[in-house]
Amino acid sequence: KGVRAMAEVRGNAQKTICFDVSKREIFTPSAGLKLLRRKLQPNYRLNANKDTITLERLREADLCIISGPREKFSGAEFEAMKSYLHEGGSLLVTLGEGGEGAFGTNINYLLEEFGIACNTDAVVRTVYYKYTHPKEVHIQGGVLNREIEAAAGEGPPSTGS
């Protein structure tokens, strides 16, 4: 439902989503992201980038997804991604447990310029209530990034002083 609603809000022009597979990504449209691909396919044009990332290639897409890169990016690729983002392009970067070090990538170089970083930690719980896996956790009222809370105009509850 959500994907269909996004397409309706944006109008009839079909948007393009590019999956980068040039850095031996752990998740690709054919492995690990199949369900996402199937849900997006009716409403979006999908393509995969197998070559070096360039600004021209990024401009062909409205969103570029980099999902678990396992090789390092070059300086030219970082410059292309920065230019793409400054021009209004959208980039979705995901990594798994262990972060940058476990994946052998250097994506934090780009992310840190925008105040984001992929950490090496993971949330693990010790009590198996409702969820069967120790890494599936419900954090009620949690804030992952205080800046998001501030931008939303919300803050910590007042102490009633």
Side-chain angles (χ1 to χ4, degrees):
K1 289 181 181 179
V3 173
R4 234 178 277 127
M6 284 172 44
E8 289 172 10
V9 169
R10 293 183 174 180
N12 294 333
Q14 196 171 34
K15 303 285 184 177
T16 301
I17 298 174
C18 178
F19 291 87
D20 184 64
V21 294
S22 67
K23 301 295 179 203
R24 297 186 320 111
E25 276 73 6
I26 196 161
F27 299 112
T28 65
S30 57
L33 298 175
K34 273 185 178 178
L35 182 61
L36 177 63
R37 185 193 75 215
R38 286 183 193 143
K39 290 190 178 270
L40 292 174
Q41 218 159 11
N43 299 306
Y44 297 91
R45 217 173 65 230
L46 306 177
N47 62 40
N49 176 47
K50 297 176 185 176
D51 301 320
T52 302
I53 296 172
T54 63
L55 183 56
E56 292 73 30
R57 182 72 174 140
L58 290 171
R59 284 178 178 156
E60 294 173 8
D62 298 289
L63 168 66
C64 183
I65 299 174
I66 302 172
S67 190
R70 293 186 284 177
E71 292 178 1
K72 295 191 182 296
F73 293 89
S74 69
E77 288 174 315
F78 281 130
E79 286 304 315
M81 288 186 277
K82 276 193 270 186
S83 296
Y84 175 70
L85 290 170
H86 287 298
E87 290 177 5
S90 298
L91 193 62
L92 172 64
V93 177
T94 65
L95 278 180
E97 182 179 346
E100 195 179 58
F103 280 75
T105 187
N106 56 352
I107 193 67
N108 275 346
Y109 178 80
L110 172 73
L111 299 178
E112 287 170 352
E113 289 192 32
F114 295 92
I116 304 168
C118 294
N119 294 335
T120 59
D121 58 359
V123 176
V124 179
R125 63 192 172 86
T126 58
V127 178
Y128 298 97
Y129 175 70
K130 288 190 180 182
Y131 298 95
T132 59
H133 194 279
K135 292 183 183 173
E136 294 176 357
V137 180
H138 173 74
I139 303 173
Q140 188 170 352
V143 176
L144 298 176
N145 184 329
R146 298 255 181 244
E147 290 300 316
I148 294 173
E149 187 177 50
E154 299 177 6
S158 65
T159 56
S161 46

